[in-house]
Amino acid sequence: MPKLTILHNPHQLDFKQLFDNLATDPRKGLTADEARSRLEEFGPNALQETKRESALTILLRQFTGVIVYILVAAAGISFFLGDTVEGVAILVVLLINAVTGFGLEWNARQSMDALRKLDSTPARVLRDGHVREIASEDVTVGDILVVEAGDLVAADANLFQVNQLQVNESALTGESLPVNKNTQIPADDAPLGDQHNRLFKGTAATDGNGRAIVTGIGQQTELGKIATMVEEAKRSATPLEEKLDALANVLIWVTVGLAVLFLIVGLIRGEEPLRLVETALALAIAAIPEGMSVVATIALAYGMLRLANKKVIVKRLSAVETLGGTNVIFTDKTGTLTQNRIEVNTIQLPNLWAEVQVEEGTKNLQVIAGNSEITDSDVFQKLVQVGVLCNNAEYDDDDGNFREVGDPVDVSLLKFARAVGLNPDAINLEYARRAEKAFSSDTRMMGTLHEHEDRYIVAVKGAVEEVMNRSVSLDEKARKAQYEIAEKMAADGLRTLAFAYREIDKTTRPGDDFADRDLTYLGLIGFLDPPQTEVTPSLEACRRAGIKVIMVTGDHPATALTIASKVKLIEPGEEIVLTGKDLKPIDQLRVDEKQNVLNCRVFARVSPAQKLDMIELYQHEGNIVGMTGDGVNDAPALKKSDIGIAMGLRGTQVAAETADIVLKDDSFTSIVAAIAQGRVIFENIRKFVLFLLSCNLSEIFVVTFAGFLNVGTPLLPLQILFINIVTDVFPALALGVGRENASLMERPPRDPKTPIMDTRDWQTVVLYALAMTASVLGTYVIGTRLLGLSQDEGNNLTFYALSFTQLMHVFNLHSERSFFINEITRNRYVWYAQMLCLAILAFTYFVPVLHEVLNIQPMTTTEFGLILAAGFAPVLLIQLVRLLARMMK
């Protein structure tokens, strides 16, 4: 047997080419020996598993980064200087941060497992002239695949025999309706959704049967290509992670500059080098916001719990904040903006038309446009009756338990009949079926023969031109008018079927062509996957919030544009849709072509690779991109986007495992709620970062200015570390779980390039830090110079003064006018944090073991008075500055 190769563009090859190229007998299939040989050559029909990072590798990666390196260096210096307790304390902080980061990364390992679960189904193939059931992994190139309704397709294959075969490809292409398969060769550039002569691995046959020759297995299938993209798609650091790292780097460079300056000045003065090194170590510890990552994690987790109550499951904590900063959302159509169910939408009789709505679970039909009297027409009643008779589906809604079996279009016709007030079961009993002419790709019609009293009734539905060509009740003018109406309905995104009937006297024996001639034309029905009722206000909320929503679907362009208009995703004048054929790779786009893509709001017939390109294009433009999806085809884009949002009800496990957020109710409204929560969380994070930075900077200033003023070392490194991880963290945490702010959704999203702290924020931080520094250093100088306290007693006084000053500083962070009634004073967690921190400070003073660790000394009433004054002074000063600023406006 000649060496085989995987075929390229197999949808363009005819049967003879396929069987010749793949050396397969269409009547007998492969022999057992040939199949075994090909399995050895091409490998099993399974997705390849790439080498994964071990748990140890993920854990070790948590110990990388500039902050970690500086803390390790600080711990090393502490051990070298004999400060064992201090060194151990620093290492404990490092361990807490590492464990937190490890937990967040562990979920990222799951998406490929979900993809591989699609490989475990059996498959039927033709081997040695007999149909045999084998494991899907053993299907190989050249096998003859036997597919029937209910089967999950085991490999990519070209059909050569089809009998009313329909396949649900929504997970791969996004197409709402099952696709009718045939053996005709499509256009060379046909997208996957239009390659009707092919079967794709992971899709499901819903009706009919067929045989196909396998052209691709494992990683060479379309599913395999998506799996490869999921593996290769790199998830960038979230904007929050990047901005927190940037903040830390700024602080580090500030500290390095101050430390170098401090060392130079000290050496010039002739001070003891060991003392200078100890002070530099204190500066390093003061600069590093050890608690920032812990506080950010807990604040995000609190937001995650809030979202869980709103049926939004967050898998990656930082994703909550990222969603709050999102300014572009790519959304699927089917099931996200629509209800993912087919319904009768438009009725077109020869002389009347109406747009109707059938409510799920009700026997009520609403005419929402057109001729309201259409339901009284005899032609309308006959059309509904034909829709019931020419139908092989089953639908039962008794006792509120819905049961649907069969083609979604046929099911929608039964629902339609019930809404009109007819009983499909009674109609079928009254009109006993005697024969059926099944739908085929050749006739594109279905007909059924029924016996009723003294005559036969023929019910027909099918493609518009085929039904009209067989209808004797239409003249040429009427036929042309109906055809133009059908074309317009199709252009509006409706799937259109024509209906007709025929009555035959019982004395005449109907022939095999009973459905092919002498028909009486009834009219057209247009079917549509209806939009979700709550989507429109949610999209309007996005528009007000400055968020651009873009539809990306594998469905038909006209259907996509229709839904976009109905839900008001696009405004009048924006009725532009680009298809996959219109999209070039981003590195080949001219400036004008790139602008056309960026201006478009609706994309149809888009492949998974093209979704990745569009996300990358918007990310290159500086946007934070969210992506919603539910299918296998969405998995790479969900991973590539800044925030992946999967549908939990109807979505595939692949999409759910790949995404950052899963919606339990599949509602676009939940996305908007999550965005609002994300904005609240970012505002809370901004507040506690402002708090932490001003506190840390005050520590740096205290140590540095004391050195420059040559008044001693007012704080020990371990005292600074204690303040950073106790009295800083709990108030910051209380700020991080503040109440919601509805006004945030009335503002445009913040510029993704803007750091957490802008210039004005940094000015505020410096002002806060200087106020606290002046108060604490003043207290230290008063204690050591006026009260005659020793160096250890001065350290003691400064430690408690700075701790209490920072606790009181939290009340400076309010944004409302009133100092006494604002979002800080209304936040009960702030008061809990204050009480807890005061209790901890009390323990440090009264518990003997803490005396030794923190070098605590006994204090007098005067010293306690100085500490209270130091805490209240900066608050009074800041409020006075704010008052003067408001008066000057």
Side-chain angles (χ1 to χ4, degrees):
M1 182 184 74
K3 184 175 178 62
L4 300 175
T5 58
I6 299 296
L7 299 173
H8 298 288
N9 296 326
H11 66 282
Q12 282 293 292
L13 302 178
D14 60 29
F15 305 153
K16 187 176 185 308
Q17 289 174 304
L18 284 169
F19 292 126
D20 289 346
N21 288 345
L22 299 178
T24 301
D25 186 336
R27 295 166 299 177
K28 296 183 179 181
L30 298 177
T31 65
D33 291 339
E34 287 173 334
R36 194 177 305 109
S37 174
R38 295 187 186 194
L39 277 171
E40 293 177 0
E41 180 180 353
F42 294 111
N45 178 32
L47 302 180
Q48 297 174 7
E49 183 170 0
T50 59
K51 186 177 180 180
R52 291 182 162 199
E53 290 182 316
S54 66
L56 179 61
T57 302
I58 295 175
L59 181 61
L60 291 176
R61 189 168 58 249
Q62 309 309 315
F63 293 97
T64 60
V66 179
I67 289 180
V68 172
Y69 299 149
I70 290 181
L71 282 176
V72 169
I77 294 172
S78 297
F79 287 123
F80 178 75
L81 297 176
D83 294 331
T84 304
V85 174
E86 187 173 299
V88 170
I90 295 173
L91 294 180
V92 168
V93 172
L94 283 173
L95 183 61
I96 292 172
N97 286 339
V99 170
T100 303
F102 175 81
L104 291 177
E105 281 201 34
W106 189 252
N107 284 334
R109 298 170 52 117
Q110 306 303 317
S111 42
M112 288 309 298
D113 288 340
L115 278 170
R116 293 186 186 93
K117 287 180 181 178
L118 295 177
D119 288 348
S120 59
T121 54
R124 286 190 298 277
V125 296
L126 192 63
R127 294 267 177 94
D128 294 314
H130 300 284
V131 176
R132 304 186 186 280
E133 186 172 284
I134 63 174
S136 62
E137 291 87 345
D138 295 334
V139 174
T140 190
V141 175
D143 258 326
I144 302 298
L145 204 59
V146 180
V147 179
E148 296 182 359
D151 288 350
L152 197 66
V153 178
D156 285 5
N158 273 41
L159 288 158
F160 64 88
Q161 181 179 316
V162 173
N163 181 25
Q164 303 179 42
L165 180 62
Q166 290 187 327
V167 179
N168 183 348
E169 297 179 344
S170 60
L172 189 66
T173 67
E175 179 75 56
S176 327
L177 294 167
V179 178
N180 293 311
K181 293 296 182 177
N182 56 50
T183 58
Q184 299 172 5
I185 296 177
D188 181 52
D189 59 351
L192 293 183
D194 291 336
Q195 293 179 19
H196 299 315
N197 65 332
R198 298 198 70 205
L199 298 175
F200 301 105
K201 181 179 177 67
T203 60
T206 59
D207 199 5
N209 56 69
R211 293 193 175 191
I213 181 169
V214 174
T215 59
I217 61 172
Q219 219 71 14
Q220 286 73 44
T221 63
E222 296 299 327
L223 179 65
K225 294 173 185 176
I226 292 174
T228 301
M229 284 190 283
V230 172
E231 289 282 2
E232 293 175 350
K234 299 189 183 300
R235 196 192 299 277
S236 314
T238 67
L240 176 62
E241 293 165 340
E242 293 175 346
K243 290 171 182 176
L244 289 178
D245 286 344
L247 271 177
N249 287 332
V250 170
L251 282 177
I252 287 165
W253 284 112
V254 169
T255 305
V256 169
L258 288 173
V260 170
L261 181 61
F262 184 84
L263 285 171
I264 292 173
V265 172
L267 291 173
I268 292 174
R269 288 177 175 174
E271 295 182 16
E272 183 183 354
L274 182 59
R275 177 181 174 277
L276 293 176
V277 171
E278 289 178 340
T279 306
L281 177 61
L283 274 174
I285 293 175
I288 299 170
E290 294 88 353
M292 186 179 291
S293 61
V294 175
V295 174
T297 299
I298 296 175
L300 292 171
Y302 185 75
M304 179 191 72
L305 293 175
R306 282 183 177 175
L307 286 173
N309 292 330
K310 298 179 180 179
K311 300 186 178 180
V312 178
I313 305 302
V314 180
K315 294 171 53 188
R316 218 162 49 107
L317 293 182
S318 56
V320 180
E321 185 278 333
T322 306
L323 189 57
T326 299
N327 57 354
V328 175
I329 295 178
F330 286 97
T331 179
D332 192 14
K333 174 187 72 68
T334 305
T336 307
L337 302 180
T338 68
Q339 299 177 27
N340 195 27
R341 56 188 177 90
I342 303 304
E343 284 188 357
V344 172
N345 176 267
T346 302
I347 307 296
Q348 178 66 58
L349 305 182
N351 298 314
L352 297 170
W353 81 276
E355 185 177 342
V356 300
Q357 181 176 340
V358 179
E359 295 184 10
E360 180 75 17
T362 68
K363 295 180 171 60
N364 181 37
L365 180 76
Q366 294 183 340
V367 177
I368 57 178
N371 306 111
S372 58
E373 67 274 13
I374 193 172
T375 55
D376 298 326
S377 165
D378 291 338
V379 177
F380 176 86
Q381 295 293 326
K382 178 65 75 174
L383 181 145
V384 177
Q385 185 183 76
V386 167
V388 171
L389 295 175
C390 191
N391 195 313
N392 287 325
E394 295 181 22
Y395 174 71
D396 184 9
D397 63 353
D398 292 339
D399 300 324
N401 297 317
F402 301 104
R403 186 176 64 89
E404 301 178 5
V405 179
D407 182 87
V409 169
D410 283 354
V411 171
S412 71
L413 288 170
L414 298 181
K415 292 180 182 179
F416 179 54
R418 285 178 177 266
V420 170
L422 300 180
N423 185 333
D425 294 334
I427 292 174
N428 282 314
L429 284 175
E430 185 178 354
Y431 293 82
R433 182 181 293 193
R434 297 298 180 229
E436 175 184 342
K437 187 171 184 180
F439 179 91
S440 73
S441 57
D442 295 328
T443 63
R444 297 194 298 160
M445 287 173 47
M446 174 184 177
T448 53
L449 180 68
H450 304 265
E451 184 177 349
H452 179 65
E453 297 177 351
D454 60 347
R455 61 187 61 205
Y456 292 106
I457 304 296
V458 176
V460 174
K461 70 179 180 189
V464 177
E465 59 271 27
E466 301 296 340
V467 173
M468 287 197 299
N469 287 340
R470 292 165 173 80
S471 297
V472 295
S473 61
L474 293 176
D475 57 26
E476 189 60 32
K477 182 179 179 180
R479 184 177 287 111
K480 182 179 179 181
Q482 286 294 297
Y483 188 75
E484 289 176 352
I485 290 172
E487 287 288 295
K488 183 179 183 305
M489 290 170 67
D492 288 340
L494 300 176
R495 179 178 179 179
T496 309
L497 289 178
F499 293 78
Y501 78 104
R502 176 187 175 197
E503 294 187 357
I504 305 173
D505 191 279
K506 239 182 182 181
T507 58
T508 304
R509 179 181 178 84
D512 292 337
D513 62 347
F514 65 86
D516 292 335
R517 58 188 178 87
D518 301 331
L519 300 178
T520 299
Y521 179 78
L522 291 170
L524 306 170
I525 294 182
F527 302 85
L528 185 69
D529 183 2
Q532 300 219 36
T533 55
E534 74 276 11
V535 162
T536 299
S538 298
L539 290 171
E540 179 58 32
C542 286
R543 193 180 293 272
R544 289 196 308 271
I547 301 167
K548 185 177 183 180
V549 181
I550 301 168
M551 179 194 292
V552 183
T553 179
D555 217 333
H556 192 280
T559 304
L561 201 58
T562 297
I563 293 298
S565 297
K566 283 182 175 292
V567 299
K568 292 185 171 51
L569 184 146
I570 56 176
E571 297 289 333
E574 294 180 336
E575 294 88 352
I576 301 172
V577 59
L578 293 178
T579 66
K581 294 180 181 179
D582 303 320
L583 299 175
K584 298 179 183 177
I586 58 173
D587 57 351
Q588 298 178 18
L589 289 173
R590 300 192 309 268
V591 175
D592 59 324
E593 292 174 329
K594 181 185 294 186
Q595 197 57 47
N596 286 339
V597 173
L598 292 173
N599 289 338
C600 185
R601 303 286 292 276
V602 181
F603 296 86
R605 289 287 193 251
V606 176
S607 70
Q610 289 171 325
K611 290 182 182 180
L612 284 178
D613 276 352
M614 283 191 287
I615 290 172
E616 188 173 350
L617 174 61
Y618 271 90
Q619 287 175 331
H620 282 172
E621 294 294 313
N623 297 283
I624 296 180
V625 180
M627 169 75 193
T628 72
D630 62 344
V632 176
N633 62 320
D634 296 319
L638 288 170
K639 186 174 181 182
K640 175 64 179 173
S641 63
D642 296 299
I643 182 76
I645 309 163
M647 303 300 151
L649 288 179
R650 60 181 170 76
T652 60
Q653 188 174 1
V654 178
E657 294 290 354
T658 307
D660 305 296
I661 289 176
V662 180
L663 304 181
K664 291 177 68 176
D665 58 359
D666 288 8
S667 172
F668 192 86
T669 302
S670 295
I671 299 176
V672 179
I675 291 173
Q677 186 61 47
R679 291 192 177 188
V680 168
I681 287 174
F682 182 83
E683 183 64 20
N684 290 342
I685 287 174
R686 178 186 159 278
K687 279 187 177 180
F688 81 64
V689 167
L690 195 70
F691 174 77
L692 285 177
L693 291 187
S694 53
C695 290
N696 280 44
L697 196 58
S698 70
E699 296 162 15
I700 295 172
F701 286 170
V702 166
V703 174
T704 307
F705 292 168
F708 290 154
L709 297 173
N710 198 25
V711 295
T713 305
L715 284 172
L716 299 176
L718 194 57
Q719 290 174 337
I720 295 174
L721 185 62
F722 179 87
I723 293 172
N724 281 358
I725 61 178
V726 177
T727 58
D728 278 5
V729 167
F730 291 111
L733 180 57
L735 292 172
V737 295
R739 298 178 64 177
E740 297 185 13
N741 187 344
S743 66
L744 292 175
M745 283 301 285
E746 300 299 323
R747 310 174 191 171
R750 65 186 183 276
D751 186 346
K753 299 175 184 176
T754 301
I756 291 179
M757 303 281 291
D758 58 22
T759 303
R760 185 176 178 181
D761 289 332
W762 278 111
Q763 293 172 349
T764 303
V765 164
V766 173
L767 174 63
Y768 289 164
L770 288 174
M772 287 187 285
T773 301
S775 178
V776 172
L777 273 183
T779 302
Y780 176 73
V781 171
I782 292 173
T784 55
R785 297 292 169 89
L786 299 182
L787 300 181
L789 300 180
S790 67
Q791 178 67 48
D792 286 345
E793 290 171 331
N795 289 144
N796 189 79
L797 181 64
T798 308
F799 168 68
Y800 284 112
L802 183 58
S803 296
F804 187 62
T805 299
Q806 292 185 355
L807 287 180
M808 294 303 298
H809 174 53
V810 72
F811 295 106
N812 285 325
L813 274 295
H814 68 91
S815 57
E816 300 178 25
R817 295 180 67 90
S818 173
F819 173 74
F820 296 102
I821 303 175
N822 53 59
E823 75 274 20
I824 303 298
T825 57
R826 289 195 300 264
N827 185 347
R828 66 180 184 274
Y829 296 108
V830 167
W831 298 104
Y832 296 158
Q834 297 292 90
M835 289 185 288
L836 177 61
C837 289
L838 288 173
I840 293 174
L841 287 175
F843 277 125
T844 64
Y845 187 78
F846 292 109
V847 177
V849 68
L850 294 177
H851 289 178
E852 298 178 14
V853 174
L854 294 172
N855 194 31
I856 300 300
Q857 307 295 321
M859 291 191 298
T860 65
T861 305
T862 302
E863 292 172 63
F864 278 116
L866 281 174
I867 291 170
L868 290 175
F872 287 110
V875 177
L876 295 174
L877 178 61
I878 294 301
Q879 297 310 310
L880 179 61
V881 171
R882 284 189 171 186
L883 179 61
L884 291 174
R886 285 200 298 268
M887 292 174 62
M888 293 175 61
K889 285 185 179 180

